Amino acid sequence: MNAYCVKEKKSREIASPKEVTFRNGRHAVRGKCSSCGTTLFRITGK
Ligand SMILES: [Zn+2]
């Protein structure tokens, strides 16, 4: 799964992704950029 890395301004693969749920009920996947280690989020839209 890929997400946009704001640090590198490129789409990067998410390392060790975990599903999280926000307080508003939205689901997302959180992990780390496989390239630079920045925390990445991807809204999964459920
Ligand atoms: Zn990165």
Side-chain angles (χ1 to χ4, degrees):
M1 181 177 282
N2 283 10
Y4 183 78
C5 178
V6 294
K7 196 168 179 182
E8 300 173 280
K9 298 179 178 168
K10 285 185 179 178
S11 181
R12 295 294 194 189
E13 191 169 334
I14 303 174
S16 59
K18 285 180 184 162
E19 186 157 290
V20 295
T21 306
F22 293 119
R23 217 181 296 172
N24 62 12
R26 287 198 127 184
H27 293 262
V29 171
R30 183 177 66 193
K32 290 198 168 182
C33 175
S34 59
S35 175
C36 71
T38 297
T39 299
L40 301 182
F41 275 97
R42 184 192 176 107
I43 303 292
T44 51
K46 281 184 203 167

Short mmCIF file of all heavy atoms in Angstrom, two decimals:
data_model
loop_
_atom_site.label_atom_id
_atom_site.label_comp_id
_atom_site.label_asym_id
_atom_site.label_seq_id
_atom_site.Cartn_x
_atom_site.Cartn_y
_atom_site.Cartn_z
N MET A 1 0.84 -1.20 0.00
CA MET A 1 0.00 0.00 0.00
C MET A 1 0.88 1.25 0.00
O MET A 1 1.87 1.30 0.71
CB MET A 1 -0.90 -0.01 1.23
CG MET A 1 -1.83 1.19 1.29
SD MET A 1 -2.92 1.09 2.69
CE MET A 1 -4.11 -0.08 2.09
N ASN A 2 0.51 2.21 -0.79
CA ASN A 2 1.30 3.42 -0.91
C ASN A 2 0.59 4.63 -0.29
O ASN A 2 -0.62 4.67 -0.20
CB ASN A 2 1.58 3.73 -2.37
CG ASN A 2 2.67 2.84 -2.94
OD1 ASN A 2 3.08 1.88 -2.30
ND2 ASN A 2 3.13 3.15 -4.11
N ALA A 3 1.37 5.60 0.11
CA ALA A 3 0.84 6.87 0.60
C ALA A 3 1.80 7.98 0.17
O ALA A 3 2.97 7.73 -0.14
CB ALA A 3 0.68 6.85 2.11
N TYR A 4 1.28 9.17 0.19
CA TYR A 4 2.09 10.31 -0.23
C TYR A 4 2.98 10.77 0.93
O TYR A 4 2.51 11.10 2.00
CB TYR A 4 1.16 11.44 -0.68
CG TYR A 4 1.89 12.64 -1.19
CD1 TYR A 4 2.42 12.64 -2.48
CD2 TYR A 4 2.03 13.78 -0.42
CE1 TYR A 4 3.08 13.75 -2.97
CE2 TYR A 4 2.70 14.90 -0.90
CZ TYR A 4 3.22 14.87 -2.18
OH TYR A 4 3.86 15.97 -2.65
N CYS A 5 4.27 10.78 0.70
CA CYS A 5 5.23 11.24 1.69
C CYS A 5 5.43 12.75 1.53
O CYS A 5 5.90 13.20 0.49
CB CYS A 5 6.56 10.50 1.53
SG CYS A 5 7.80 11.08 2.70
N VAL A 6 5.04 13.50 2.57
CA VAL A 6 5.13 14.96 2.46
C VAL A 6 6.58 15.43 2.53
O VAL A 6 6.91 16.53 2.07
CB VAL A 6 4.31 15.66 3.58
CG1 VAL A 6 2.83 15.38 3.39
CG2 VAL A 6 4.77 15.22 4.95
N LYS A 7 7.42 14.63 3.10
CA LYS A 7 8.83 15.01 3.23
C LYS A 7 9.55 14.91 1.89
O LYS A 7 10.34 15.77 1.52
CB LYS A 7 9.49 14.12 4.27
CG LYS A 7 10.82 14.66 4.78
CD LYS A 7 11.25 13.87 5.99
CE LYS A 7 12.59 14.38 6.50
NZ LYS A 7 13.04 13.59 7.66
N GLU A 8 9.26 13.83 1.17
CA GLU A 8 9.93 13.61 -0.12
C GLU A 8 9.09 14.07 -1.31
O GLU A 8 9.57 14.09 -2.43
CB GLU A 8 10.27 12.13 -0.26
CG GLU A 8 11.18 11.65 0.84
CD GLU A 8 11.35 10.15 0.78
OE1 GLU A 8 10.47 9.43 1.26
OE2 GLU A 8 12.35 9.71 0.23
N LYS A 9 7.81 14.35 -1.01
CA LYS A 9 6.89 14.75 -2.07
C LYS A 9 6.77 13.69 -3.16
O LYS A 9 6.73 13.97 -4.36
CB LYS A 9 7.30 16.11 -2.67
CG LYS A 9 7.24 17.20 -1.63
CD LYS A 9 7.65 18.54 -2.20
CE LYS A 9 7.53 19.61 -1.11
NZ LYS A 9 8.17 20.85 -1.49
N LYS A 10 6.73 12.44 -2.70
CA LYS A 10 6.57 11.32 -3.62
C LYS A 10 5.70 10.26 -2.97
O LYS A 10 5.59 10.21 -1.75
CB LYS A 10 7.93 10.70 -3.95
CG LYS A 10 8.75 11.53 -4.90
CD LYS A 10 10.02 10.80 -5.28
CE LYS A 10 10.82 11.66 -6.26
NZ LYS A 10 12.09 11.04 -6.63
N SER A 11 5.12 9.41 -3.78
CA SER A 11 4.36 8.29 -3.28
C SER A 11 5.31 7.19 -2.84
O SER A 11 6.16 6.75 -3.62
CB SER A 11 3.41 7.79 -4.37
OG SER A 11 2.65 6.71 -3.88
N ARG A 12 5.16 6.77 -1.58
CA ARG A 12 6.05 5.74 -1.03
C ARG A 12 5.25 4.61 -0.43
O ARG A 12 4.12 4.78 0.01
CB ARG A 12 6.94 6.35 0.05
CG ARG A 12 7.91 7.38 -0.45
CD ARG A 12 8.93 6.78 -1.37
NE ARG A 12 10.04 7.71 -1.60
CZ ARG A 12 10.99 7.51 -2.51
NH1 ARG A 12 10.97 6.44 -3.27
NH2 ARG A 12 11.95 8.38 -2.65
N GLU A 13 5.89 3.46 -0.34
CA GLU A 13 5.24 2.32 0.29
C GLU A 13 5.19 2.52 1.81
O GLU A 13 6.15 3.02 2.39
CB GLU A 13 6.00 1.04 -0.05
CG GLU A 13 5.22 -0.20 0.35
CD GLU A 13 5.85 -1.45 -0.23
OE1 GLU A 13 6.52 -1.37 -1.27
OE2 GLU A 13 5.66 -2.50 0.37
N ILE A 14 4.07 2.12 2.42
CA ILE A 14 3.94 2.22 3.87
C ILE A 14 4.56 0.99 4.52
O ILE A 14 4.16 -0.14 4.24
CB ILE A 14 2.46 2.32 4.29
CG1 ILE A 14 1.80 3.51 3.61
CG2 ILE A 14 2.33 2.44 5.80
CD1 ILE A 14 0.30 3.59 3.87
N ALA A 15 5.52 1.22 5.40
CA ALA A 15 6.14 0.13 6.13
C ALA A 15 5.36 -0.14 7.40
O ALA A 15 4.93 0.79 8.08
CB ALA A 15 7.58 0.48 6.47
N SER A 16 5.16 -1.41 7.73
CA SER A 16 4.40 -1.87 8.91
C SER A 16 3.09 -1.10 9.09
O SER A 16 2.89 -0.43 10.10
CB SER A 16 5.25 -1.81 10.18
OG SER A 16 5.71 -0.51 10.44
N PRO A 17 2.19 -1.18 8.11
CA PRO A 17 0.92 -0.45 8.20
C PRO A 17 -0.01 -1.02 9.26
O PRO A 17 -0.05 -2.24 9.47
CB PRO A 17 0.30 -0.63 6.81
CG PRO A 17 0.92 -1.88 6.28
CD PRO A 17 2.30 -1.94 6.87
N LYS A 18 -0.71 -0.12 9.94
CA LYS A 18 -1.70 -0.53 10.93
C LYS A 18 -2.97 0.26 10.71
O LYS A 18 -2.91 1.46 10.48
CB LYS A 18 -1.18 -0.26 12.35
CG LYS A 18 -0.13 -1.25 12.77
CD LYS A 18 0.36 -0.97 14.16
CE LYS A 18 1.49 -1.95 14.50
NZ LYS A 18 2.29 -1.50 15.62
N GLU A 19 -4.10 -0.43 10.84
CA GLU A 19 -5.37 0.28 10.65
C GLU A 19 -5.74 1.03 11.92
O GLU A 19 -5.62 0.52 13.02
CB GLU A 19 -6.48 -0.69 10.29
CG GLU A 19 -7.77 0.04 9.95
CD GLU A 19 -8.68 -0.80 9.08
OE1 GLU A 19 -8.37 -1.04 7.90
OE2 GLU A 19 -9.72 -1.23 9.59
N VAL A 20 -6.15 2.26 11.76
CA VAL A 20 -6.57 3.08 12.89
C VAL A 20 -7.94 3.67 12.58
O VAL A 20 -8.32 3.78 11.42
CB VAL A 20 -5.57 4.22 13.17
CG1 VAL A 20 -4.23 3.67 13.62
CG2 VAL A 20 -5.41 5.12 11.96
N THR A 21 -8.67 4.04 13.62
CA THR A 21 -9.97 4.69 13.44
C THR A 21 -9.95 6.03 14.14
O THR A 21 -9.60 6.13 15.31
CB THR A 21 -11.09 3.81 14.04
OG1 THR A 21 -11.01 2.50 13.48
CG2 THR A 21 -12.45 4.40 13.73
N PHE A 22 -10.30 7.07 13.40
CA PHE A 22 -10.36 8.39 14.00
C PHE A 22 -11.62 8.55 14.83
O PHE A 22 -12.55 7.76 14.72
CB PHE A 22 -10.34 9.47 12.90
CG PHE A 22 -9.05 9.52 12.16
CD1 PHE A 22 -9.01 9.28 10.79
CD2 PHE A 22 -7.86 9.81 12.81
CE1 PHE A 22 -7.81 9.33 10.09
CE2 PHE A 22 -6.66 9.87 12.12
CZ PHE A 22 -6.64 9.63 10.75
N ARG A 23 -11.62 9.60 15.65
CA ARG A 23 -12.77 9.83 16.51
C ARG A 23 -14.05 10.09 15.71
O ARG A 23 -15.14 9.86 16.19
CB ARG A 23 -12.49 11.03 17.43
CG ARG A 23 -13.07 10.83 18.80
CD ARG A 23 -12.81 12.03 19.69
NE ARG A 23 -11.39 12.25 19.93
CZ ARG A 23 -10.90 13.32 20.55
NH1 ARG A 23 -11.71 14.24 20.98
NH2 ARG A 23 -9.61 13.45 20.74
N ASN A 24 -13.91 10.58 14.50
CA ASN A 24 -15.08 10.85 13.67
C ASN A 24 -15.56 9.60 12.92
O ASN A 24 -16.46 9.69 12.09
CB ASN A 24 -14.80 11.99 12.69
CG ASN A 24 -13.68 11.66 11.72
OD1 ASN A 24 -13.25 10.52 11.62
ND2 ASN A 24 -13.21 12.65 11.01
N GLY A 25 -14.94 8.44 13.20
CA GLY A 25 -15.40 7.20 12.61
C GLY A 25 -14.72 6.82 11.31
O GLY A 25 -14.99 5.76 10.76
N ARG A 26 -13.84 7.65 10.83
CA ARG A 26 -13.14 7.34 9.58
C ARG A 26 -11.99 6.38 9.85
O ARG A 26 -11.33 6.45 10.86
CB ARG A 26 -12.59 8.61 8.95
CG ARG A 26 -13.65 9.47 8.33
CD ARG A 26 -13.03 10.44 7.38
NE ARG A 26 -13.65 10.36 6.08
CZ ARG A 26 -13.25 11.05 5.02
NH1 ARG A 26 -12.23 11.86 5.13
NH2 ARG A 26 -13.85 10.93 3.88
N HIS A 27 -11.77 5.54 8.87
CA HIS A 27 -10.68 4.57 8.99
C HIS A 27 -9.49 5.04 8.17
O HIS A 27 -9.65 5.65 7.12
CB HIS A 27 -11.13 3.21 8.48
CG HIS A 27 -12.17 2.58 9.34
ND1 HIS A 27 -11.87 1.65 10.30
CD2 HIS A 27 -13.51 2.78 9.39
CE1 HIS A 27 -13.00 1.29 10.90
NE2 HIS A 27 -14.00 1.97 10.37
N ALA A 28 -8.33 4.73 8.67
CA ALA A 28 -7.10 5.08 7.95
C ALA A 28 -6.04 4.03 8.25
O ALA A 28 -6.18 3.23 9.17
CB ALA A 28 -6.61 6.45 8.37
N VAL A 29 -5.02 4.04 7.44
CA VAL A 29 -3.87 3.19 7.69
C VAL A 29 -2.69 4.08 8.04
O VAL A 29 -2.42 5.06 7.35
CB VAL A 29 -3.56 2.32 6.46
CG1 VAL A 29 -2.24 1.59 6.65
CG2 VAL A 29 -4.67 1.32 6.23
N ARG A 30 -2.03 3.75 9.12
CA ARG A 30 -0.88 4.52 9.55
C ARG A 30 0.36 3.64 9.54
O ARG A 30 0.33 2.49 9.94
CB ARG A 30 -1.10 5.06 10.95
CG ARG A 30 0.04 5.95 11.44
CD ARG A 30 -0.25 6.53 12.79
NE ARG A 30 -0.30 5.49 13.82
CZ ARG A 30 -0.78 5.66 15.04
NH1 ARG A 30 -1.29 6.81 15.39
NH2 ARG A 30 -0.79 4.67 15.90
N GLY A 31 1.45 4.21 9.07
CA GLY A 31 2.69 3.46 9.05
C GLY A 31 3.84 4.41 8.82
O GLY A 31 3.70 5.62 8.99
N LYS A 32 4.96 3.84 8.42
CA LYS A 32 6.12 4.69 8.20
C LYS A 32 6.58 4.58 6.76
O LYS A 32 6.48 3.54 6.13
CB LYS A 32 7.26 4.26 9.13
CG LYS A 32 6.95 4.62 10.56
CD LYS A 32 8.19 4.61 11.42
CE LYS A 32 7.89 5.25 12.76
NZ LYS A 32 9.07 5.31 13.62
N CYS A 33 7.12 5.68 6.28
CA CYS A 33 7.66 5.71 4.93
C CYS A 33 8.81 4.71 4.84
O CYS A 33 9.71 4.71 5.68
CB CYS A 33 8.16 7.12 4.63
SG CYS A 33 8.98 7.25 3.04
N SER A 34 8.74 3.85 3.84
CA SER A 34 9.78 2.83 3.69
C SER A 34 11.10 3.44 3.26
O SER A 34 12.14 2.79 3.30
CB SER A 34 9.33 1.78 2.67
OG SER A 34 9.08 2.40 1.43
N SER A 35 11.08 4.69 2.86
CA SER A 35 12.29 5.35 2.39
C SER A 35 12.95 6.22 3.46
O SER A 35 14.14 6.10 3.71
CB SER A 35 11.96 6.17 1.16
OG SER A 35 13.09 6.91 0.74
N CYS A 36 12.15 7.10 4.11
CA CYS A 36 12.76 8.07 5.03
C CYS A 36 12.26 7.94 6.47
O CYS A 36 12.77 8.60 7.35
CB CYS A 36 12.55 9.49 4.51
SG CYS A 36 10.86 10.05 4.62
N GLY A 37 11.24 7.11 6.73
CA GLY A 37 10.79 6.88 8.09
C GLY A 37 9.75 7.86 8.60
O GLY A 37 9.31 7.75 9.73
N THR A 38 9.35 8.81 7.78
CA THR A 38 8.30 9.75 8.18
C THR A 38 6.97 9.00 8.34
O THR A 38 6.69 8.07 7.58
CB THR A 38 8.14 10.84 7.09
OG1 THR A 38 9.35 11.57 7.01
CG2 THR A 38 7.00 11.80 7.41
N THR A 39 6.18 9.40 9.32
CA THR A 39 4.88 8.77 9.52
C THR A 39 3.95 9.12 8.36
O THR A 39 3.82 10.29 7.99
CB THR A 39 4.26 9.24 10.84
OG1 THR A 39 5.12 8.87 11.90
CG2 THR A 39 2.89 8.60 11.05
N LEU A 40 3.32 8.09 7.81
CA LEU A 40 2.41 8.28 6.68
C LEU A 40 1.00 7.87 7.07
O LEU A 40 0.82 6.94 7.83
CB LEU A 40 2.85 7.43 5.48
CG LEU A 40 4.22 7.65 4.90
CD1 LEU A 40 4.41 6.74 3.69
CD2 LEU A 40 4.44 9.09 4.51
N PHE A 41 0.04 8.57 6.53
CA PHE A 41 -1.37 8.22 6.70
C PHE A 41 -1.99 7.99 5.35
O PHE A 41 -1.68 8.66 4.38
CB PHE A 41 -2.13 9.35 7.39
CG PHE A 41 -2.05 9.32 8.88
CD1 PHE A 41 -1.12 10.10 9.53
CD2 PHE A 41 -2.88 8.51 9.61
CE1 PHE A 41 -1.02 10.09 10.92
CE2 PHE A 41 -2.81 8.49 10.99
CZ PHE A 41 -1.87 9.28 11.64
N ARG A 42 -2.93 7.05 5.31
CA ARG A 42 -3.74 6.90 4.14
C ARG A 42 -5.17 6.64 4.57
O ARG A 42 -5.43 5.67 5.30
CB ARG A 42 -3.23 5.75 3.26
CG ARG A 42 -4.02 5.66 1.97
CD ARG A 42 -3.71 4.35 1.26
NE ARG A 42 -4.53 4.24 0.08
CZ ARG A 42 -4.08 4.38 -1.17
NH1 ARG A 42 -2.82 4.60 -1.39
NH2 ARG A 42 -4.90 4.27 -2.19
N ILE A 43 -6.09 7.49 4.12
CA ILE A 43 -7.50 7.30 4.43
C ILE A 43 -8.02 6.14 3.60
O ILE A 43 -7.83 6.10 2.39
CB ILE A 43 -8.30 8.57 4.12
CG1 ILE A 43 -7.74 9.77 4.88
CG2 ILE A 43 -9.78 8.37 4.43
CD1 ILE A 43 -7.92 9.72 6.38
N THR A 44 -8.65 5.16 4.26
CA THR A 44 -9.12 4.01 3.52
C THR A 44 -10.59 4.16 3.10
O THR A 44 -11.08 3.37 2.33
CB THR A 44 -8.94 2.72 4.33
OG1 THR A 44 -9.51 2.90 5.62
CG2 THR A 44 -7.47 2.38 4.47
N GLY A 45 -11.26 5.17 3.63
CA GLY A 45 -12.58 5.53 3.12
C GLY A 45 -13.72 4.60 3.45
O GLY A 45 -14.70 4.55 2.73
N LYS A 46 -13.61 3.84 4.52
CA LYS A 46 -14.71 2.97 4.91
C LYS A 46 -15.77 3.75 5.65
O LYS A 46 -15.44 4.64 6.42
CB LYS A 46 -14.18 1.86 5.82
CG LYS A 46 -13.50 0.77 5.03
CD LYS A 46 -13.08 -0.33 5.99
CE LYS A 46 -11.94 -1.15 5.42
NZ LYS A 46 -11.33 -1.99 6.43
ZN ZN B 1 9.54 9.47 2.77
#
